[in-house]
Amino acid sequence: MEYEYHCLARGYTKKTMINKRQEYKHLYNFLSEKRGINELESITFHDLRAYIRFRQQSGIETSSIHSMAKQAIAFFNDTFWTWICRRHRYCS
């Protein structure tokens, strides 16, 4: 539900929300099945680079890879800083 509120606050269309959710599912499946990662804190920059290479090798267009990479980076930047903020009690 939080994801939906986030998307609505950013003005995303329903189609954009569906596309982003689908990309996150691809990322999750890759990380859990190919890299054996089950916790957000365990994901490294190298894991994300491996995902991008994996998607490139699957024949996805360069523009789609670029959009997907920006989406993943934005997600992890937001998530990482939120996690740091909460861990160090800068926010609740």
Side-chain angles (χ1 to χ4, degrees):
M1 206 58 179
E2 186 174 329
Y3 171 76
E4 195 168 333
Y5 291 133
H6 169 79
C7 290
L8 291 172
R10 292 197 172 207
Y12 295 153
T13 65
K14 200 68 163 169
K15 182 179 178 187
T16 299
M17 291 168 60
I18 290 168
N19 290 340
K20 287 182 178 292
R21 184 177 295 273
Q22 187 65 31
E23 186 57 47
Y24 288 134
K25 285 181 185 179
H26 285 295
L27 177 59
Y28 172 79
N29 289 336
F30 173 82
L31 293 171
S32 64
E33 295 170 10
K34 304 277 187 198
R35 304 291 276 194
I37 296 172
N38 295 312
E39 295 188 19
L40 188 62
E41 293 84 4
S42 301
I43 300 169
T44 68
F45 174 74
H46 300 291
D47 297 315
L48 297 178
R49 287 189 63 142
Y51 176 66
I52 292 168
R53 279 193 309 273
F54 173 75
R55 296 291 282 179
Q56 286 172 326
Q57 292 169 352
S58 68
I60 294 179
E61 293 181 25
T62 303
S63 60
S64 295
I65 294 291
H66 181 73
S67 296
M68 175 271 308
K70 281 178 31 181
Q71 180 180 336
I73 289 165
F75 173 79
F76 284 101
N77 278 340
D78 288 347
T79 303
F80 175 75
W81 290 114
T82 300
W83 178 74
I84 290 293
C85 181
R86 287 185 179 150
R87 181 173 185 191
H88 295 285
R89 297 193 176 111
Y90 298 134
C91 57
S92 55

